[in-house]
Amino acid sequence: MFDKKKESTMGVKSDSTTLISKSTDIVGDVNFSGSLEVEGRIRGNIVGNSEADSFVRIMQTGSIDGNVRAAVVVINGRVSGNVTSIKSVQLAEKAVVEGDLHYNLMEIAKGARVNGQLVHSADAVGTVKIKGNPVVKPVDKT
């Protein structure tokens, strides 16, 4: 289901790859171009600068406390925040997402967990695109 050849860049052109290693703990937002592989911890949002050509992979040891937005998102670690992808989201067997998933195409492996809403959109980023000062509306949980 998640073979290396298929998963490599998922059709996203990537001139560069950034690795956040297991022993790295980042506090603050991460804006990137190309590919981002997370084995460590990020306490902040992850945003692909070129949304059409950005690829994020959160490895089994990876942990994100914030929102993730990129063209392609592959998760096998933990995300506490919303995930938005305009191309595809893959949740591997160890994935845990505590937040809403905005997606165009999605693949979920047996064992993956999502505690939030699944929101399908042909242009998922278009539904939550933020320009200028973001306006965040609270979700009524009653």
Side-chain angles (χ1 to χ4, degrees):
M1 179 185 229
F2 292 100
D3 62 58
K4 295 289 183 192
K5 184 180 259 186
K6 179 181 174 189
E7 190 178 287
S8 62
T9 59
M10 303 297 295
V12 174
K13 295 178 184 177
S14 177
D15 294 332
S16 63
T17 299
T18 302
L19 173 65
I20 309 298
S21 70
K22 291 179 187 179
S23 59
T24 303
D25 188 353
I26 295 176
V27 178
D29 294 345
V30 175
N31 297 301
F32 73 98
S33 295
S35 295
L36 175 67
E37 302 213 359
V38 181
E39 294 179 347
R41 181 175 184 188
I42 298 175
R43 290 180 275 183
N45 299 318
I46 297 175
V47 178
N49 290 334
S50 173
E51 291 173 346
D53 289 327
S54 55
F55 175 83
V56 176
R57 182 177 320 179
I58 301 162
M59 310 301 262
Q60 188 171 340
T61 58
S63 174
I64 311 299
D65 294 315
N67 298 325
V68 177
R69 185 173 69 194
V72 176
V73 180
V74 177
I75 302 171
N76 198 26
R78 187 184 65 78
V79 176
S80 293
N82 297 328
V83 176
T84 303
S85 168
I86 60 170
K87 290 188 178 177
S88 68
V89 174
Q90 285 189 1
L91 302 179
E93 62 186 21
K94 301 292 184 183
V96 177
V97 178
E98 297 283 338
D100 297 343
L101 223 54
H102 299 263
Y103 67 95
N104 183 11
L105 298 172
M106 181 171 31
E107 185 174 342
I108 302 176
K110 181 178 177 181
R113 295 183 290 161
V114 178
N115 186 16
Q117 295 181 356
L118 301 178
V119 182
H120 177 264
S121 174
D123 182 14
V125 171
T127 63
V128 294
K129 190 167 239 172
I130 298 171
K131 291 185 178 180
N133 294 326
V135 176
V136 179
K137 295 180 182 177
V139 175
D140 185 13
K141 298 276 184 176
T142 58

